[in-house]
Amino acid sequence: MRKIRMGMVGGGIGSFIGDVHRKASMMDGLIELVCGAFSSTPEKSKKSGKALFLPEDRCYASFEEMILKEKELPKGERMDFIAIVTPNHMHFGPAKLALENGFHVVCDKPMTLTIEESETLVSLVENTGLHFALTHNYTGYPMVKQAKTMIQKGDLGKIRKVQVQYLQGWMATDVENTDNKQASWRVDPSKSGIGGALGDIGTHAENLLEYITGLKIAELAADLGRFGKGRILDDDGNILVRLDNGAKGTMSFSQIATGEENNLAIRVYGEKGSLEWGQEEPNKLLTRWLDKPLKVFTPGGNDLYEEAQTNRVPSGHPEGYLEAFATIYRNFAINLMAELNGEPSPQKEYPTVKDGLRGVKFMYAAVQSDKNNTAWTPLS
């Protein structure tokens, strides 16, 4: 029994998401950071590693160097997996090389820039049997898991209608023309891919809809907007969706919704009841019924299904973004730890490489629909 050893690609000094990954991965005491290629600049990578108290010889100039040199180390010393916390265009290369060299992967979304790249990773995971987690972190909230399980068990009856939104306002001005690095790469197709807000937050909305309902988007009709001056990629979008059980849905996402912070929310309507959850108040799941009064579920509260009992603190003490992120890392580590110990996998749940492929296909279908005047487009 030992901690799972993590190597990080990206996430150097000044990185927001890299720090989130480090804090989340270590929250439950199952994972330790042992090495990294933290920047495309060797000097900055070394400086970042030093700030994280890593030995200099485990701070690498590139992800290629890290993966190949770590592979040469004895099994008792080398990293077990890599966490990829880079801009979108740098997801595929490290993931592919890691899998080819026997390392497990945790990767930010969207998984890759193209469908072909995602299909390559799916094949590698299937052929190697390695673990691959995608950090759709919102699936880690206890009330999201409660919502999913309620629908799975038929509490709401057949699902008829779904509404999901993800609204932000941080790009309502031309922030990419300032020193905001988070904005500058997101408006650059060479780094972000074919989707702007679509890839950044639209994929979260798509994943949350399919995760909670257990249904798949069969086809969609997308109207994407580009409101920021000179922007090539979308910064706003509205999508109609048809689900594979015949249900209808709407999806709205935006990064130019002035005044909004991180308003991810979902409503699901079934024959017998409905539910509502929002990320900005994540510890409340509202349920409404044909023949019963409104009921509010809370983490650690009454009548929760076992799948939702993932909170770390007593009832009434809030858990949030970092804890939801940490749940993905915890489940990933528990499964991997069992394998390393030669034990049966507990089959702990987290988004996988197949969810990553699904998200990239969603982006391409939405862009195609938008180009064809919001034509209905299949999502297979």
Side-chain angles (χ1 to χ4, degrees):
M1 296 293 290
R2 61 170 176 80
K3 289 187 178 182
I4 304 298
R5 295 186 287 264
M6 177 175 75
M8 181 166 278
V9 180
I13 294 173
S15 164
F16 160 71
I17 203 65
D19 197 41
V20 169
H21 276 264
R22 284 188 288 270
K23 289 173 180 174
S25 66
M26 298 174 196
M27 185 173 290
D28 294 295
L30 301 177
I31 295 171
E32 61 179 333
L33 178 68
V34 298
C35 63
F38 300 104
S39 174
S40 57
T41 304
E43 295 77 17
K44 188 175 179 181
S45 182
K46 295 281 186 183
K47 188 175 181 181
S48 297
K50 184 178 181 180
L52 294 167
F53 305 102
L54 293 176
E56 189 172 349
D57 63 348
R58 303 291 289 276
C59 303
Y60 298 102
S62 67
F63 72 83
E64 295 94 342
E65 181 188 30
M66 182 180 79
I67 291 169
L68 296 179
K69 286 197 173 181
E70 286 290 314
K71 187 179 180 181
E72 294 174 356
L73 294 176
K75 285 188 177 181
E77 298 178 23
R78 71 177 67 155
M79 66 181 181
D80 296 303
F81 76 97
I82 67 167
I84 304 170
V85 299
T86 62
N88 302 350
H89 71 296
M90 285 298 296
H91 291 176
F92 176 66
K96 179 174 181 287
L97 190 63
L99 293 169
E100 289 172 339
N101 285 275
F103 294 107
H104 308 274
V105 176
V106 173
C107 184
D108 263 338
K109 42 69 16 216
M111 188 166 72
T112 65
L113 295 190
T114 69
I115 294 173
E116 292 74 20
E117 288 176 346
S118 287
E119 289 174 337
T120 296
L121 295 185
V122 170
S123 294
L124 278 170
V125 170
E126 289 176 345
N127 292 335
T128 61
L130 293 165
H131 296 267
F132 192 111
L134 192 74
T135 50
H136 275 301
N137 54 295
Y138 300 109
T139 64
Y141 281 106
M143 293 301 92
V144 168
K145 294 189 180 298
Q146 174 70 9
K148 176 184 177 66
T149 309
M150 290 178 71
I151 292 172
Q152 237 176 12
K153 292 184 179 293
D155 293 355
L156 272 61
K158 183 179 179 181
I159 302 307
R160 294 170 164 174
K161 182 180 181 65
V162 184
Q163 295 178 321
V164 61
Q165 66 182 43
Y166 199 157
L167 305 177
Q168 298 176 339
W170 70 286
M171 295 186 72
T173 62
D174 58 348
V175 65
E176 66 268 28
N177 295 325
T178 68
D179 59 356
N180 189 320
K181 293 181 180 179
Q182 297 298 320
S184 61
W185 73 259
R186 281 175 168 80
V187 300
D188 182 352
S190 69
K191 295 180 179 178
S192 185
I194 64 167
L198 174 66
D200 196 26
I201 59 176
T203 52
H204 273 308
E206 168 267 329
N207 177 260
L208 190 69
L209 184 156
E210 294 196 342
Y211 177 81
I212 284 180
T213 66
L215 302 172
K216 298 295 183 185
I217 298 171
E219 55 182 345
L220 56 80
D223 181 19
L224 306 180
R226 298 158 187 83
F227 289 95
K229 185 177 179 181
R231 286 180 187 162
I232 300 170
L233 298 177
D234 64 274
D235 51 22
D236 180 83
N238 297 287
I239 302 178
L240 295 175
V241 298
R242 293 170 177 164
L243 304 180
D244 60 359
N245 77 328
K248 310 291 186 181
T250 61
M251 181 183 300
S252 181
F253 57 88
S254 181
Q255 291 179 317
I256 52 86
T258 305
E260 294 285 1
E261 293 180 343
N262 204 64
N263 190 356
L264 171 63
I266 187 168
R267 300 173 186 86
V268 182
Y269 299 90
E271 292 176 332
K272 297 188 291 185
S274 65
L275 58 80
E276 178 180 352
W277 178 84
Q279 196 278 150
E280 291 186 344
E281 292 189 36
N283 293 315
K284 291 182 179 180
L285 174 65
L286 279 61
T287 61
R288 301 176 176 90
W289 308 94
L290 284 174
D291 54 358
K292 295 182 289 186
L294 169 75
K295 182 169 183 176
V296 181
F297 291 92
T298 58
N302 295 327
D303 297 332
L304 292 182
Y305 286 114
E306 181 181 352
E307 292 86 343
Q309 296 174 18
T310 62
N311 53 303
R312 296 166 177 81
V313 295
S315 301
H317 293 79
E319 290 191 9
Y321 178 75
L322 281 175
E323 288 84 358
F325 229 115
T327 296
I328 291 176
Y329 270 103
R330 179 174 66 186
N331 289 356
F332 177 83
I334 289 171
N335 288 348
L336 182 51
M337 192 174 288
E339 179 177 309
L340 294 175
N341 290 329
E343 301 168 354
S345 174
Q347 299 294 314
K348 291 290 186 177
E349 180 190 63
Y350 51 80
T352 70
V353 69
K354 290 184 178 180
D355 296 296
L357 173 59
R358 188 80 184 158
V360 176
K361 285 184 173 182
F362 164 75
M363 288 193 300
Y364 272 79
V367 169
Q368 181 183 344
S369 172
D370 179 64
K371 286 181 178 178
N372 292 326
N373 197 29
T374 318
W376 283 102
T377 304
L379 177 54
S380 57

mmCIF file of all heavy atoms in Angstrom, residues 6 100 125 150:
data_model
loop_
_atom_site.group_PDB
_atom_site.id
_atom_site.type_symbol
_atom_site.label_atom_id
_atom_site.label_comp_id
_atom_site.label_asym_id
_atom_site.label_seq_id
_atom_site.Cartn_x
_atom_site.Cartn_y
_atom_site.Cartn_z
ATOM 1 N N MET A 6 1.937 10.740 -9.253
ATOM 2 C CA MET A 6 1.457 11.544 -10.374
ATOM 3 C C MET A 6 2.573 12.378 -10.986
ATOM 4 O O MET A 6 3.361 13.001 -10.277
ATOM 5 C CB MET A 6 0.330 12.470 -9.903
ATOM 6 C CG MET A 6 -0.210 13.420 -10.974
ATOM 7 S SD MET A 6 -1.640 14.388 -10.391
ATOM 8 C CE MET A 6 -0.841 15.598 -9.319
ATOM 9 N N GLU A 100 1.055 4.783 -24.722
ATOM 10 C CA GLU A 100 1.962 3.916 -25.482
ATOM 11 C C GLU A 100 3.110 3.402 -24.629
ATOM 12 O O GLU A 100 3.714 2.369 -24.942
ATOM 13 C CB GLU A 100 2.507 4.663 -26.696
ATOM 14 C CG GLU A 100 1.478 4.909 -27.783
ATOM 15 C CD GLU A 100 1.972 5.813 -28.892
ATOM 16 O OE1 GLU A 100 2.945 6.573 -28.661
ATOM 17 O OE2 GLU A 100 1.388 5.774 -29.989
ATOM 18 N N VAL A 125 -6.619 2.985 -25.135
ATOM 19 C CA VAL A 125 -7.114 2.578 -23.824
ATOM 20 C C VAL A 125 -7.687 1.164 -23.892
ATOM 21 O O VAL A 125 -7.435 0.329 -23.011
ATOM 22 C CB VAL A 125 -8.165 3.581 -23.302
ATOM 23 C CG1 VAL A 125 -8.867 3.040 -22.054
ATOM 24 C CG2 VAL A 125 -7.502 4.922 -22.991
ATOM 25 N N MET A 150 -31.447 8.839 -9.004
ATOM 26 C CA MET A 150 -32.908 8.927 -8.971
ATOM 27 C C MET A 150 -33.506 8.616 -10.344
ATOM 28 O O MET A 150 -34.500 7.884 -10.457
ATOM 29 C CB MET A 150 -33.344 10.319 -8.502
ATOM 30 C CG MET A 150 -33.058 10.600 -7.035
ATOM 31 S SD MET A 150 -33.540 12.278 -6.546
ATOM 32 C CE MET A 150 -35.332 12.115 -6.584
#
